[in-house]
Amino acid sequence: MSARPNIDVSNLPTFAFGHRPLTWWCTWSLILIEGGMFVVIFATYFFLRTPVPDWPPGVAYPRPFWGTVNLVIILVSCLPNHWAKKAAESLDLRGVRVWLAVMIVFAFAATAVRFVEFGYLNCRWDQNAYGSIVWVSMGAHLLHLVTDVLDSIVLLALLIVGPVEGTRFTDASENALYWYFVVALWVPLYVIIYWVPRWM
Amino acid sequence: MAEEPLKRELANDEALAEEVADEHERRALEKTWGDEPGFWGWLASTNHKTVGKRFIYTAFGFFILAGILAVLMRVQLARPESTFLNPDLYNQIFTMHGTTMMFLFAVPVMEAVAVFILPLMLGARNIAFPRLNAFGYWVYLFGGIMLWVAFVMNVGPDAGWFAYVPLSGPEYGAGKRADFWAQMITFTEVSALVVATEIITTFFKLRAPGMSLNRVPIYCWSVLVMAFMVFFAMPTIAWASACLMMDRLIGTHFFNPAEGGDPLLWQHLFWFFGHPEVYIIFIPGTGFVSTILSTFSRRPIFGYTALVLSLVSTGFIGFGLWVHHMFATGLPRLGESFFTGATIMIAIPSGVQIFCWIATLWGGRPRFKSPMMFVLGFFFIFVIGGMTGVMQGAVPVDLQVHDTYFVVAHFHYVLIGGAVFPLFGAFHYWFPKVTGRMLGEKLGHLTFWVMFVGFNLTFFPMHILGLRGMPRRVYTYQPHLGWGDLNLLASAGGVLLTLGVLLFIVNALRSLRAGVLASDNPWGAATLEWATTSPPPAYNFLYPPTVDSRDTLWTQPADQPVVVGLRSDVREVLVTRTLDAEPDLKAEFPDSSIWPLLAALATTAMFIGTIFTPWAFPVGMVPIFATLTGWFWPKKRQAEERPPEEVKQKHGKRYYKLRGQES
């Protein structure tokens, strides 16, 4: 072997953050796929909106109180999320555990409030096409909230019972990235669900 | 004076030591990367070659099934007023033929070949996310089986492969036929999307050192473009089919005009996926063409940069054409003009590719081996299909031939010409790499000629039938309409085409048993999959290769460096940088696992359950979540073996306390 010209890679690191590890590419793939799905959902909303003179058709406006509460919860959750990401990237195990736990509390609260929100939409999914798109788009976002709560809990469990390895910190960092995406989805969806009927 | 023999002896010793070390490495890698023995190991495999072969065989199986349906249709249409098939069965058969060909054969087979070839061509040991890869295969298999079981039980979809509402909606689509169709979409989309994720990550992160983006083989670029198109096209159809299912199951009104829904919404959503779908199938086909053409012209491909840019721009333009499927729905004139322009524009990148291929042939020394014959056949057929496509891009022509056999002729010329002929070329080309044996060359040529003549006899008359007014999707026609003779001719061609496919199967089976043993690089090709044995070992390369040019096997010196320093006792791979492919990280791939299969079974149960009750969705999520947790939970012993120094230094005592042991 000594005679063969070679590139020795034995000293390379086994984990990293940002776009270097494979996990980042998987997270962004999910974001692109699901983000694309939401773009189509938004397009469907406006496609159904366009030909109708009254919007919402034949039902009252959705009441924005709980939706706004959820907007606040979800936006504030960016702070613990940011700190969890920073802690992960500086290999601060205690920090990741604490901030990830706080993050889960926020995500759980957002999920709980979402169930309340459905009661204030003032329509049913089987009432008309407006009701269908409102319920289903809210439901699609709910699915993201639930998924994120569950996979964050699994990640936290892994970080607590161990064994802790380098890639676990990468996972925590990626988990935070994905939560930003869930947050970024809610902002336009909130505007569309609660304010577009009033403005457009 | 005694120095010379001494040196020689030392050199011999060194060579011997090297051989011993290589053998040692080979055994270690085989143990680490090989599938576990037995049926269990077979189910748990996550090797890209094992999964890729399964994918290819399964997709080919669906091709045969859909082909049998095509033969049944040709028998029915061979003469007027035939009673061979009744109208209801005919509806199911043409729907199943299109659905199976598009969703269960064409897209999966293109991804399947990529799953097998891409990591080898890039010099990687496995595809990125190997467990996801196994999951993608199982989900696809179960979805396909579900659809075909439904069909055999007379619950096959019957509203066409595009399932237009309201025909497929709750008002007209009674029973569960359309639901099985819509749920098959969910299965195949999940599968296509996970494989696309693997392809993109493998392309950008697992390339051999030295393979900067400007040295990546064209085929890899083509599957990259395909994967991105899957990303942006598939969510739309997944959303559309979910809406259709909800309209049918829980009373939503997305497509119900009485309650503010719109049937045209379905058409927009479907074709926003459906048109790019054609390019998802065709673009990897062009990748085969470029690869085979370069090898058998014995020269680098002409116009590499132009070809890559053509692929990418085809990918973009492909998303701007969907409305040309809807010219007959009464759209605004400006919209029609825009989409006519966009449709005709796609001829530009396609034309660039064709001229680059002609230039490659022109400047090369072509060898007319069987893979090359399929590529030449592709030129003839695809150019005709492309030209009738440009014709139909013009609204007046489109309105005239809309829903006639002219369209059927056109898209078979495009899809069989653009995808199936290159695919058969690829089968002939990579058969020795996959199986270790050469396909029979004479039978290969015969296969080509029978398929080529059979194809044209089947589909060329359909242009004329369409122009004479024969509509699509009719189960029979009256004698006085004068369509009998051409239909009979098309059916005769169908027999020949079927014979061609049978010849291929015979050739493949014979060659598997008694074909000539293949060397590492029997065609004298330039890309990395030919730098390892035929078939490749579980770990692909004894020492991961490096690359010094685009056509590396033609240009590299004998002492081109290899990669060393990866562990052989675990599945460690080299991750390289996105643009220049400089070594960056060592990543450990997970072991083979049964969890992807269990997760796919849980997913299948949930998907099938939701055909019958919405409660299957929340309830079905529980086993899915459980199996995914099992999938991602690391094996404790292995995780303990790999605490990297960085983590150890940072956490010191606390880390070891965590593991319940002192350092």
Side-chain angles (χ1 to χ4, degrees):
Chain A
M1 234 180 51
S2 55
R4 192 179 314 222
N6 61 51
I7 301 175
D8 189 350
V9 296
S10 52
N11 287 326
L12 289 179
T14 58
F15 69 101
F17 299 98
H19 64 83
R20 291 169 64 199
L22 302 184
T23 333
W24 183 88
W25 293 81
C26 192
T27 312
W28 267 102
S29 297
L30 265 178
I31 291 175
L32 280 182
I33 293 165
E34 287 164 25
M37 175 91 95
F38 270 89
V39 169
V40 180
I41 290 176
F42 298 158
T44 302
Y45 183 97
F46 289 105
F47 187 90
L48 293 169
R49 165 74 190 90
T50 309
V52 186
D54 297 320
W55 193 258
V59 294
Y61 288 126
R63 284 174 60 186
F65 177 75
W66 286 106
T68 311
V69 168
N70 223 351
L71 181 70
V72 173
I73 294 174
I74 287 178
L75 285 179
V76 173
S77 76
C78 288
L79 286 174
N81 194 48
H82 174 74
W83 290 323
K85 196 167 193 295
K86 284 289 144 210
E89 285 162 19
S90 54
L91 307 184
D92 172 6
L93 183 59
R94 192 158 162 270
V96 186
R97 285 180 185 161
V98 170
W99 291 119
L100 186 60
V102 175
M103 237 299 297
I104 292 171
V105 172
F106 272 92
F108 190 79
T111 311
V113 173
R114 172 58 46 82
F115 280 101
V116 180
E117 277 184 73
F118 282 109
Y120 292 87
L121 292 174
N122 290 331
C123 63
R124 276 171 58 93
W125 67 88
D126 55 0
Q127 209 165 353
N128 52 33
Y130 164 79
S132 305
I133 185 66
V134 166
W135 271 76
V136 174
S137 52
M138 294 279 279
H141 191 254
L142 171 65
L143 193 61
H144 283 71
L145 292 175
V146 173
T147 316
D148 207 279
V149 170
L150 292 176
D151 73 46
S152 300
I153 289 174
V154 173
L155 181 59
L156 185 62
L158 271 172
L159 287 165
I160 289 172
V161 300
V164 175
E165 45 183 322
T167 51
R168 210 58 63 225
F169 292 98
T170 311
D171 295 346
S173 166
E174 294 303 315
N175 193 56
L177 171 64
Y178 190 73
W179 179 254
Y180 282 136
F181 167 64
V182 177
V183 171
L185 284 179
W186 178 235
V187 178
L189 187 57
Y190 165 79
V191 173
I192 288 173
I193 297 290
Y194 292 105
W195 299 105
V196 162
R198 289 177 164 82
W199 296 341
M200 290 173 72
Chain B
M1 292 310 277
E3 250 175 50
E4 272 304 307
L6 195 63
K7 262 190 191 166
R8 217 174 300 136
E9 205 170 306
L10 275 176
N12 280 344
D13 282 356
E14 260 175 29
L16 195 66
E18 200 177 315
E19 260 173 46
V20 171
D22 283 357
E23 187 54 35
H24 187 72
E25 181 78 355
R26 198 171 284 129
R27 282 186 193 168
L29 285 169
E30 192 56 57
K31 188 159 170 273
T32 304
W33 287 89
D35 293 333
E36 303 264 322
F39 182 62
W40 192 258
W42 187 83
L43 290 177
S45 175
T46 55
N47 188 299
H48 77 100
K49 294 180 294 299
T50 315
V51 176
K53 270 198 275 189
R54 266 174 214 175
F55 236 126
I56 295 170
Y57 296 152
T58 310
F60 196 75
F62 283 120
F63 174 71
I64 300 296
L65 287 174
I68 292 171
L69 298 182
V71 170
L72 294 178
M73 284 190 282
R74 281 321 319 165
V75 173
Q76 166 70 14
L77 293 175
R79 59 195 169 85
E81 294 188 331
S82 166
T83 52
F84 176 66
L85 298 173
N86 66 50
D88 179 63
L89 186 57
Y90 190 85
N91 287 350
Q92 286 187 68
I93 285 182
F94 76 67
T95 303
M96 283 296 289
H97 168 75
T99 301
T100 304
M101 281 297 190
M102 295 300 275
F103 292 103
L104 300 176
F105 164 64
V107 176
V109 85
M110 291 305 173
E111 295 201 317
V113 176
V115 162
F116 192 100
I117 295 295
L118 183 72
L120 286 164
M121 229 185 213
L122 296 177
R125 286 221 155 125
N126 201 350
I127 198 162
F129 316 121
R131 288 188 179 180
L132 202 57
N133 193 26
F135 174 78
Y137 169 72
W138 293 121
V139 167
Y140 154 67
L141 174 71
F142 297 151
I145 291 175
M146 177 201 73
L147 185 74
W148 271 81
V149 168
F151 171 62
V152 171
M153 293 169 77
N154 197 27
V155 203
D158 57 356
W161 84 279
F162 34 64
Y164 273 5
V165 290
L167 189 58
S168 64
E171 282 173 64
Y172 298 99
K176 289 292 176 192
R177 287 180 170 184
D179 301 279
F180 277 106
W181 181 88
Q183 206 57 303
M184 177 281 309
I185 295 287
T186 321
F187 277 100
T188 51
E189 303 320 276
V190 167
S191 168
L193 285 165
V194 299
V195 176
T197 301
E198 297 151 23
I199 289 174
I200 290 173
T201 310
T202 308
F203 180 97
F204 282 116
K205 298 309 289 177
L206 297 179
R207 303 198 307 273
M211 195 187 279
S212 47
L213 283 185
N214 58 340
R215 289 179 182 168
V216 176
I218 295 267
Y219 172 70
C220 304
W221 279 106
S222 74
V223 293
L224 179 78
V225 173
M226 168 190 76
F228 271 111
M229 293 190 78
V230 166
F231 266 19
F232 296 111
M234 299 289 177
T236 313
I237 186 70
W239 163 246
S241 69
C243 289
L244 178 62
M245 284 204 76
M246 286 188 285
D247 269 17
R248 296 175 57 89
L249 193 68
I250 59 170
T252 56
H253 297 288
F254 289 105
F255 308 120
N256 176 11
E259 291 296 347
D262 192 343
L264 275 192
L265 173 62
W266 172 265
Q267 294 196 22
H268 279 292
L269 291 173
F270 185 86
W271 290 117
F272 186 79
F273 144 82
H275 196 82
E277 167 99 336
V278 175
Y279 293 96
I280 288 168
I281 296 164
F282 161 65
I283 284 180
T286 67
F288 298 146
V289 170
S290 295
T291 309
I292 293 170
L293 211 57
S294 168
T295 297
F296 292 103
S297 301
R298 290 178 279 188
R299 55 152 290 160
I301 193 81
F302 180 91
Y304 175 88
T305 313
L307 278 170
V308 172
L309 290 176
S310 298
L311 289 172
V312 175
S313 55
T314 307
F316 276 102
I317 301 171
F319 279 96
L321 315 181
W322 83 94
V323 172
H324 73 210
H325 295 269
M326 299 165 63
F327 280 155
T329 59
L331 295 160
R333 289 282 292 279
L334 187 66
E336 289 183 343
S337 307
F338 174 85
F339 284 97
T340 293
T343 302
I344 293 173
M345 196 159 78
I346 200 105
I348 299 172
S350 305
V352 168
Q353 291 198 72
I354 290 183
F355 286 117
C356 285
W357 291 326
I358 292 174
T360 306
L361 265 175
W362 198 282
R365 288 168 294 140
R367 287 176 295 171
F368 297 98
K369 298 280 187 184
S370 50
M372 185 72 156
M373 296 307 292
F374 282 94
V375 166
L376 297 177
F378 151 85
F379 282 136
F380 181 84
I381 298 171
F382 179 72
V383 168
I384 293 180
M387 289 198 298
T388 55
V390 173
M391 283 166 71
Q392 288 169 88
V395 178
V397 180
D398 182 273
L399 289 178
Q400 194 64 35
V401 299
H402 183 80
D403 262 349
T404 70
Y405 261 84
F406 189 86
V407 180
V408 179
H410 158 71
F411 68 67
H412 281 93
Y413 265 79
V414 172
L415 288 171
I416 296 188
V420 176
F421 270 75
L423 182 72
F424 271 74
F427 284 162
H428 285 75
Y429 181 64
W430 280 308
F431 191 89
K433 187 48 68 184
V434 176
T435 66
R437 287 178 188 274
M438 306 296 290
L439 258 183
E441 187 62 20
K442 271 188 193 154
L443 212 47
H445 274 263
L446 188 64
T447 305
F448 165 74
W449 281 112
V450 174
M451 278 180 72
F452 182 78
V453 174
F455 169 82
N456 284 296
L457 265 185
T458 314
F459 293 101
F460 197 83
M462 291 185 190
H463 290 112
I464 303 162
L465 280 169
L467 291 174
R468 290 188 186 166
M470 181 170 171
R472 296 169 68 178
R473 300 186 285 269
V474 287
Y475 85 104
T476 192
Y477 51 91
Q478 282 74 43
H480 69 268
L481 292 167
W483 301 332
D485 293 345
L486 285 174
N487 268 303
L488 186 61
L489 186 63
S491 296
V495 173
L496 212 54
L497 186 54
T498 311
L499 192 68
V501 177
L502 284 176
L503 280 175
F504 170 73
I505 296 172
V506 169
N507 194 7
L509 291 178
R510 265 181 45 176
S511 306
L512 270 179
R513 267 193 317 126
V516 179
L517 287 177
S519 62
D520 291 2
N521 190 1
W523 308 122
T527 41
L528 282 179
E529 78 273 27
W530 305 104
T532 183
T533 53
S534 306
Y539 45 90
N540 287 356
F541 302 93
L542 181 57
Y543 300 104
T546 64
V547 158
D548 77 334
S549 77
R550 226 169 253 164
D551 301 289
T552 190
L553 299 190
W554 287 343
T555 57
Q556 69 182 23
D559 60 348
Q560 176 75 14
V562 290
V563 174
V564 298
L566 288 172
R567 285 173 65 180
S568 51
D569 58 335
V570 291
R571 296 184 178 180
E572 198 165 67
V573 299
L574 177 66
V575 177
T576 48
R577 289 211 302 241
T578 311
L579 300 180
D580 57 10
E582 287 292 310
D584 187 29
L585 289 174
K586 293 181 298 175
E588 194 179 318
F589 275 7
D591 280 341
S592 303
S593 164
I594 198 72
W595 284 112
L597 173 59
L598 298 179
L601 285 169
T603 309
T604 303
M606 191 266 262
F607 284 172
I608 295 181
T610 46
I611 291 178
F612 300 97
T613 162
W615 291 105
F617 185 69
V619 175
M621 289 302 253
V622 178
I624 293 180
F625 177 68
T627 47
L628 289 182
T629 306
W631 170 341
F632 289 110
W633 202 272
K635 281 186 189 162
K636 198 161 182 167
R637 189 186 52 75
Q638 284 181 341
E640 279 170 358
E641 279 173 9
R642 54 181 185 234
E645 289 308 311
E646 218 178 325
V647 180
K648 261 196 265 180
Q649 279 163 14
K650 179 93 186 172
H651 296 289
K653 267 205 173 128
R654 210 171 66 236
Y655 175 78
Y656 287 95
K657 224 166 148 184
L658 188 80
R659 292 167 55 202
Q661 63 183 85
E662 291 301 320
S663 53

